[in-house]
Amino acid sequence: MVITITAFDRSPDGGKGLARDTRVRWALEETGQPYDVRLVSFRALKEPAHLALHPFGQIPTYEDGDLTLFETGSIVFHIAGRHAGLLPQDANARARAITWMFAAVNTVEPPILEFVTAKFFERDKPWYEARLPFTAINVRSRMQQLSTRLGDADWLDGAFSAGDLMMVSVLLRMRSSGILDEYANLAAYVARGEARPAYKRAFAAQLAINTRQS
Ligand code: GTB
């Protein structure tokens, strides 16, 4: 039984790899797992067949035999727990890598999403001019803290792990704003993630879908 994930039929980013199926593809590539992709339109996301897989009507989902998962943190954790390559063997190092996964989705991603939402979806709102700089302050605060912790290390805690995979995926969302490049070590960290062969394969696969002629 081959793993099947879902992805946008056409991602709004046109293939920049920012939709969350990319991080799941990346985890599957890092661990050498073959997978199929079922493409879903925005309309189909909210239809019963997809809602049975994902209660919030989103991508990505993950199906492997009789197991269905949603939420990228959970999906990547599952992949990393089942296959070698993304979590250390040492119990304490493993716990720290998992902590970084949670930090990525619980502590770093929320202010980034607030910023992105304000910047791209609230331009016509009366609060836009006041709110956008406020959300940027919150992002910079988190990024400064992360930058300080990373220092001149290659990865957050020893060897590359699922924690880095999630953190790089989250930070990528800040590149187009220019804010990522304000933190040279974070920009280099993200670039190291993108340079990994597994990331390149994941990126190329989603790009092919999002740039295909229909
Ligand atoms: N917490 C969930 C997870 O991590 O799995 C969040 C999943 C999620 O937000 N999915 C989005 C979705 O399905 C796609 S990734 N949205 C449709 C909906 O809610 O109706 C978010 C995303 C979308 C588009 C871009 N982009 O074009 O740049 C980037 C990120």
Side-chain angles (χ1 to χ4, degrees):
M1 187 74 72
V2 176
I3 293 163
T4 300
I5 68 167
T6 51
F8 284 136
D9 181 37
R10 287 265 172 207
S11 176
D13 73 0
K16 291 194 178 73
L18 298 176
R20 286 181 177 79
D21 57 294
T22 303
R23 56 183 78 166
V24 173
R25 294 171 182 274
W26 187 6
L28 291 165
E29 293 287 354
E30 289 283 353
T31 55
Q33 300 307 303
Y35 64 99
D36 286 339
V37 182
R38 193 169 58 250
L39 302 178
V40 189
S41 68
F42 272 93
R43 173 142 44 102
L45 284 178
K46 309 303 179 202
E47 289 174 353
H50 189 75
L51 287 170
L53 304 176
H54 196 308
F56 308 116
Q58 297 182 313
I59 60 98
T61 57
Y62 170 102
E63 293 160 78
D64 186 9
D66 57 6
L67 176 67
T68 301
L69 297 174
F70 58 94
E71 283 298 329
T72 54
S74 168
I75 295 169
V76 172
F77 182 47
H78 172 77
I79 295 166
R82 189 158 285 196
H83 307 287
L86 282 173
L87 285 174
Q89 288 297 315
D90 174 76
N92 285 356
R94 195 176 183 92
R96 288 194 301 271
I98 294 165
T99 299
W100 280 116
M101 293 185 69
F102 276 89
V105 294
N106 274 356
T107 302
V108 179
E109 191 164 48
I112 289 177
L113 291 180
E114 294 259 304
F115 172 82
V116 169
T117 301
K119 189 169 170 63
F120 295 108
F121 302 110
E122 297 179 350
R123 200 171 283 271
D124 58 340
K125 302 288 190 249
W127 60 80
Y128 174 77
E129 294 293 341
R131 179 163 159 72
L132 186 64
F134 179 73
T135 62
I137 287 169
N138 290 339
V139 168
R140 287 191 172 97
S141 165
R142 279 287 176 264
M143 291 183 63
Q144 182 57 62
Q145 291 167 321
L146 187 66
S147 168
T148 300
R149 169 53 79 103
L150 180 67
D152 59 5
D154 279 356
W155 306 114
L156 287 165
D157 193 297
F160 176 83
S161 78
D164 296 297
L165 185 153
M166 293 301 288
M167 193 64 81
V168 167
S169 299
V170 162
L171 292 175
L172 267 166
R173 202 83 188 263
M174 288 313 296
R175 186 154 53 198
S176 68
S177 70
I179 293 180
L180 176 64
D181 287 332
E182 293 173 19
Y183 304 89
N185 65 338
L186 293 185
Y189 170 65
V190 168
R192 271 192 293 283
E194 291 176 297
R196 293 180 70 83
Y199 178 85
K200 289 184 179 171
R201 290 194 295 274
F203 183 89
Q206 66 76 37
L207 182 66
I209 283 173
N210 288 303
T211 53
R212 74 192 188 285
Q213 304 296 317
S214 52

